[in-house]
Amino acid sequence: MADNDNKDQAEMDPADMEDVEEVEEEETGEDANSKARQLTVQMMQNPQVLAALQERLDGLVGSPSGYMESLPKVVKRRVNALKNLQVKCAQIEAKFYEEVHELERKYAALYQPLFDKRSDIIKAAYEPTDEECEWKADEEEKLTEEMKEKAKVEEEKKDEEKEDPKGIPEFWLTVFKNVDLLSEMLQEHDEPILKHLQDIKVKFSDPGQPMSFTLEFYFEPNDFFANQVLTKTYKMRSEPDEADPFSFDGPEIMGCTGCQIDWTKGKNVTLKTIKKKQKHKGRGTVRTITKTVPNDSFFNFFSPPEVPENGELDEDSEAILAADFEIGHFLRERIIPRAVLYFTGEAIEDDDDDYDEEGEEADDEEGEEEADEENDPDYDPKKDANPPAECKQQ
């Protein structure tokens, strides 16, 4: 049998031998690439390697590529002219945003009567008519007659068991709890207070005044504080920084100021009392002392860190202000104009749909890749039998 094998090898055409050698070389190359990929995955899972890579990338940010230095002097001169034009573009863009702010202020006055009526319905100052309560449901929301009848009977039973509620109870508290960005700020001891929140309004700065907006939180009389309105004002700037004009990307919040809350004695949820035991070094006696320390609460939102004149802040204050600015902007842009949709959850579903669409696009791309592999005459499914290291389940 061995003689036959040797004979077959001897009779093999030299060209065939070359083909075999080429295939073996290709397979060897693929093995090397596979090992390289596995090694790369292992390295990228190493925190020290990632930290070193990030440090290297951070060092490259803003550094010249060398291409500009290689350009002739006359070309560099023209590039400088383009940069001067870009600065003028940034200045025009700043004026554009100033006019946008004026438009926002103008249309806020048109929206306000609708928002006032919304507030009146929520706090039971106005009962909407049957015509105002009529809502045409989407096809997906329509129920069969049998289900409608069943739902009606159940509703009537609940109405008999409960007293007729006034307005829309806990409207704003429900909005806050439905939005992750706001619910993360809420503590259990905040909820009884926010049940008294009746409205949130946004006020824009007057014409000719520095750009700013103020959030106004209206509360019904309650046992927690004397204020009827709590305010938070955000100061904005819409002009390029002279030192770095190319970083301009629209108005930015420069600082914010809260307000003093006139808490009822013993009701301040932003503070808590703790007891600590202290042991005397000499006598060995133990005493208990009481200390008042800050407490986590949504109402800390009205006491933001002050920004010093030099603009320098510690890391904790910077993080608090960054989150604060994001919340203020979100309340102004999304929550106040579309509060009912965050109350029902429809606005949240829309946000989720946006993420789903991105996921579907990714799935489509993966499907196209799979189709390409199947149409590839050189594709070998056996090689994909084991998933790569990064895809293995933990």
Side-chain angles (χ1 to χ4, degrees), residues 124-162:
Y126 172 77
E127 183 63 33
T129 65
D130 290 342
E131 185 180 354
E132 289 173 320
C133 295
E134 189 68 30
W135 179 256
K136 185 178 180 181
D138 294 334
E139 288 296 325
E140 294 179 0
E141 296 175 359
K142 289 182 179 178
L143 302 173
T144 64
E145 290 300 322
E146 184 180 345
M147 292 177 69
K148 283 183 181 179
E149 190 63 31
K150 185 178 179 182
K152 185 178 178 182
V153 170
E154 289 178 359
E155 264 187 46
E156 288 174 354
K157 284 183 181 178
K158 288 180 181 178
D159 289 342
E160 289 174 4
E161 293 171 2
K162 296 181 180 179

Side-chain angles (χ1 to χ4, degrees), residues 206-252:
D206 293 330
Q209 297 297 315
M211 189 182 293
S212 68
F213 67 92
T214 300
L215 300 174
E216 299 177 340
F217 296 73
Y218 289 79
F219 288 83
E220 65 182 351
N222 60 80
D223 297 332
F224 298 93
F225 46 71
N227 312 64
Q228 286 188 328
V229 184
L230 301 181
T231 61
K232 184 73 170 286
T233 300
Y234 291 88
K235 298 174 184 177
M236 304 171 69
R237 182 181 71 178
S238 181
E239 57 184 30
D241 187 343
E242 291 183 3
D244 186 17
F246 303 131
S247 65
F248 180 73
D249 191 27
E252 56 181 333

Side-chain angles (χ1 to χ4, degrees), residues 90-101 238-240 248:
Q91 293 168 347
I92 293 173
E93 188 179 5
K95 294 294 181 184
F96 164 77
Y97 283 114
E98 287 177 7
E99 292 194 22
V100 168
H101 185 73
S238 181
E239 57 184 30
F248 180 73

Side-chain angles (χ1 to χ4, degrees), residues 265-287:
K265 187 176 180 181
K267 298 288 188 177
N268 188 347
V269 295
T270 64
L271 299 174
K272 63 180 177 181
T273 303
I274 61 171
K275 293 182 179 181
K276 294 183 69 176
K277 290 185 178 180
Q278 290 183 338
K279 187 175 182 180
H280 194 279
K281 292 182 180 178
R283 296 192 295 270
T285 56
V286 177
R287 66 172 183 173

Side-chain angles (χ1 to χ4, degrees), residues 68-177:
M68 283 298 298
E69 286 75 7
S70 68
L71 293 175
K73 186 175 180 180
V74 65
V75 176
K76 290 181 183 178
R77 181 171 171 273
R78 293 167 190 150
V79 170
N80 288 337
L82 296 183
K83 291 170 76 172
N84 284 325
L85 291 175
Q86 189 62 43
V87 171
K88 291 180 179 178
C89 286
Q91 293 168 347
I92 293 173
E93 188 179 5
K95 294 294 181 184
F96 164 77
Y97 283 114
E98 287 177 7
E99 292 194 22
V100 168
H101 185 73
E102 290 300 313
L103 278 174
E104 285 183 313
R105 187 181 61 80
K106 173 185 174 182
Y107 278 89
L110 300 177
Y111 287 129
Q112 197 54 53
L114 302 177
F115 294 157
D116 288 343
K117 195 166 188 178
R118 177 180 72 185
S119 177
D120 287 343
I121 293 173
I122 290 170
K123 63 186 182 185
Y126 172 77
E127 183 63 33
T129 65
D130 290 342
E131 185 180 354
E132 289 173 320
C133 295
E134 189 68 30
W135 179 256
K136 185 178 180 181
D138 294 334
E139 288 296 325
E140 294 179 0
E141 296 175 359
K142 289 182 179 178
L143 302 173
T144 64
E145 290 300 322
E146 184 180 345
M147 292 177 69
K148 283 183 181 179
E149 190 63 31
K150 185 178 179 182
K152 185 178 178 182
V153 170
E154 289 178 359
E155 264 187 46
E156 288 174 354
K157 284 183 181 178
K158 288 180 181 178
D159 289 342
E160 289 174 4
E161 293 171 2
K162 296 181 180 179
E163 294 182 6
D164 183 26
K166 304 297 181 183
I168 304 179
E170 303 180 16
F171 178 86
W172 288 101
L173 174 59
T174 304
V175 170
F176 278 40
K177 292 170 78 171

Side-chain angles (χ1 to χ4, degrees), residues 286-305:
V286 177
R287 66 172 183 173
T288 301
I289 62 168
T290 302
K291 287 181 66 177
T292 301
V293 296
N295 191 27
D296 290 336
S297 169
F298 165 76
F299 291 91
N300 290 323
F301 178 71
F302 299 98
S303 303

